[in-house]
Amino acid sequence: MFDLLTVGQLSLPQIEWLIARAAFYKQQPVSSFLKARSIGLIFEKASTRTRLSSEVAIVRLGGHPIFLSTGDMQLKRGETLADSARVLSRYLDALIIRTYGHDTLKEWAYHATIPVINGLTDLHHPAQILSDLFTLVERRRQLKGLKLVYIGDSNNIAHSLIEGGAITGMEVVISHPEGFGPNPEVVSGAALLGNGRLSFCPDPIKAVKGADVIYTDTWVSMGQEHEEDQRAKRFSGYQVATHLLEGAKTDVLVMHCLPAHRGHEITDEVMDGPHSIVFDQAANRLPMQQAILEACMDEGGSCL
Ligand code: CP
Ligand code: NVA
C-alpha cells in the first residue's frame, strides 16, 4: 500500500506495470478487487474527468465511492485536517484528493493511515500523465526517444510530464513565454530521475520541429482566474493551431488533458482534426484509475 502523490516518486518498472495493468482493465473492466471497500473523494476544485473516472473505476473494481465536498464536512467549521485525516482513515480504505497547494495533499498523506491518491494539485497531476503515457504507448508502443513538445503554461500538467518524460526516456521540450516556466525544484528533481532529456525553446515554431507529440493545456489553471486577461495577452503566440503542426512529424499526435479552452490554447480545427487524440486521453483515465487504485491499495504489495 502506498500514496500516489507525484509521477516522480515512481520507478520505470512501476510505470510500466501501471500501463500494462491499464491495458488489462481496458479489456476486462470488472473485478472484485475492491469488494466491500470504500474510497473517499475529497475535491476542493471542479472536476469532470478525474471525479467520474475515479467513481466509475471504484464501482468497476467492486468498491464504493463516497464523494466528499470539503464545504459539507466539519473541516469547513474548523476541524483540523490532521484530525479529519485520522477519522476518515477509520472509515475508509483510501482517499482521492484534489486540492490547491501540494503541501496540503502531503499533509493529508502524512496524517492518513490509508493510501492517498493525488487527484490534482497546483503542482502535479500524476493520474492524468500516467494515463497519457498509456495513451502514447497504445499509439507508439515505445516512449523512449519520443519527442514531446509542451506548449504554454508550465503548470501541474507540465510538471508531471517533465517527471514522466525523464523516467521513461522521452525528449521533452517546453515552450513557454518568459515568466511562465516550470518550478525549478521539479526541473532539478527530474534530472535525477532517469535518462530523458529536458530542454526549453521559447519559440513554439522552432520547438515543434520533428515533434512526435504536441501537448498543451489551459493558460489559466484553477485558482488563477483573476489573472485571465493578463495571461491571455502573454500566451497569445502560444496557441496550438494548424500552422504550428507543419514543422512537426507528419503523423504528430496532439494531446490536451482537457478541459480545453477552444480558441485560446488550441483551435477547434486542431482539437477536432486528425492529429488530435484528446478524447482517447479522456477515455483512458478510467482504466488507468483502476490500475492506480489497485497499485496503491494492494495489501500484499505484489503489484509494484
Ligand atoms: N483532465 C482532468 O483532470 O480533468 P478534470 O478537471 O475534469 O478532472
Ligand atoms: N492545469 C489545469 C488542469 C486541469 C485538469 C488546472 O489545474 O486547472
Side-chain angles (χ1 to χ4, degrees):
M1 297 218 299
F2 67 95
D3 302 318
L4 179 68
L5 306 189
T6 65
V7 175
Q9 73 177 70
L10 299 169
S11 65
L12 181 58
Q14 286 175 323
I15 291 179
E16 287 170 345
W17 185 91
L18 285 163
I19 290 171
R21 204 64 187 155
F24 168 82
Y25 279 122
K26 203 164 170 173
Q27 296 303 319
Q28 294 185 49
V30 179
S31 119
S32 56
F33 177 75
L34 289 180
K35 193 169 173 219
R37 293 203 268 179
S38 303
I39 289 95
L41 289 87
I42 299 178
F43 278 52
E44 292 192 77
K45 292 174 172 175
S47 172
T48 298
R49 280 143 289 266
T50 307
R51 175 177 175 179
L52 265 295
S53 62
S54 296
E55 292 204 25
V56 177
I58 292 162
V59 170
R60 286 190 176 180
L61 292 173
H64 177 52
I66 301 176
F67 186 79
L68 299 157
S69 160
T70 39
D72 297 334
M73 295 167 70
Q74 294 288 7
L75 260 173
K76 188 181 81 171
R77 297 181 57 253
E79 186 167 20
T80 67
L81 186 159
D83 289 347
S84 304
R86 289 190 192 106
V87 171
L88 292 182
S89 298
R90 283 163 168 80
Y91 302 136
L92 300 170
D93 298 285
L95 280 169
I96 300 175
I97 299 179
R98 170 168 287 200
T99 188
Y100 289 87
H102 195 72
D103 285 344
T104 305
L105 180 77
K106 288 208 248 177
E107 214 182 322
W108 277 106
Y110 179 78
H111 293 288
T113 53
I114 52 176
V116 169
I117 297 170
N118 186 350
L120 178 147
T121 64
D122 291 345
L123 204 59
H124 295 279
H125 195 2
Q128 176 69 49
I129 298 311
L130 290 167
S131 167
D132 293 337
L133 295 177
F134 168 44
T135 305
L136 282 174
V137 167
E138 283 187 321
R139 295 284 179 150
R140 293 289 180 263
R141 291 184 59 203
Q142 174 120 329
L143 296 173
K144 194 170 166 56
L146 282 185
K147 177 175 176 179
L148 183 149
V149 181
Y150 179 90
I151 297 177
D153 186 28
S154 307
N155 55 20
N156 39 18
I157 293 292
H159 292 147
S160 292
L161 265 176
I162 288 170
E163 294 186 345
I167 297 166
T168 59
M170 291 167 67
E171 181 187 349
V172 175
V173 181
I174 309 281
S175 185
H176 66 82
E178 205 187 330
F180 295 92
N183 179 297
E185 281 176 32
V186 171
V187 172
S188 55
L192 309 171
L193 290 176
N195 57 0
R197 279 196 293 152
L198 174 65
S199 60
F200 297 90
C201 179
D203 180 347
I205 294 171
K206 285 188 189 148
V208 299
K209 272 220 161 89
D212 297 287
V213 185
I214 295 174
Y215 200 124
T216 191
D217 183 22
T218 182
W219 297 334
V220 187
S221 285
M222 289 179 276
Q224 299 173 334
E225 290 78 5
H226 58 287
E227 297 174 20
E228 190 166 348
D229 293 346
Q230 174 220 342
R231 282 174 170 264
K233 281 187 209 127
R234 297 299 309 279
F235 284 96
S236 63
Y238 289 81
Q239 185 183 61
V240 176
T242 301
H243 72 91
L244 196 66
L245 271 50
E246 280 159 18
K249 284 196 176 150
T250 51
D251 60 352
V252 65
L253 300 171
V254 175
M255 301 181 84
H256 191 310
C257 62
L258 305 181
H261 301 79
R262 290 168 175 261
H264 292 260
E265 75 272 7
I266 191 165
T267 61
D268 283 331
E269 198 179 18
V270 172
M271 178 108 168
D272 300 324
H275 297 279
S276 168
I277 56 168
V278 301
F279 295 108
D280 289 348
Q281 288 177 256
N284 281 340
R285 292 292 308 275
L286 175 51
M288 179 51 82
Q289 203 65 2
Q290 289 182 270
I292 289 170
L293 284 159
E294 185 183 342
C296 292
M297 297 180 68
D298 180 37
E299 280 162 21
S302 55
C303 296
L304 298 171

